[in-house]
Amino acid sequence: MRTGKGSAGGLYRYYTRSTKARQGKTGCEGRSIPMDRLDQLVASHLEERLASAPAAGNHPCQRPRPPPGTHRAPP
């Protein structure tokens, strides 16, 4: 994370790669992303994924397993 100040004195926060934060453009040409924007994008994505997730107990990983010895391997 790095910070910057606008012309009106407001503080801005950005996510940036650590190499760019330490060495500047010579170390990394990657972009910095405004923290508020990326945080909102991640939160929106998680909300969408959670809203579309199967109900508890309906996901294949949450179903009870058959007792040992009752499942046969294919020949």
Side-chain angles (χ1 to χ4, degrees):
M1 180 183 81
R2 71 176 181 84
T3 59
K5 284 191 176 182
S7 59
L11 184 66
Y12 298 95
R13 293 186 171 141
Y14 299 89
Y15 286 114
T16 190
R17 294 186 58 170
S18 61
T19 303
K20 184 171 184 171
R22 287 191 321 268
Q23 300 175 7
K25 288 183 180 180
T26 58
C28 175
E29 294 182 11
R31 298 184 327 181
S32 295
I33 301 169
M35 183 182 281
D36 293 342
R37 182 172 180 206
L38 184 59
D39 288 349
Q40 182 58 44
L41 288 170
V42 170
S44 296
H45 177 76
L46 289 173
E47 287 173 1
E48 289 173 18
R49 293 292 304 258
L50 291 172
S52 65
N58 291 331
H59 192 276
C61 294
Q62 296 173 335
R63 292 186 188 132
R65 294 182 177 201
T70 60
H71 183 271
R72 288 199 271 161

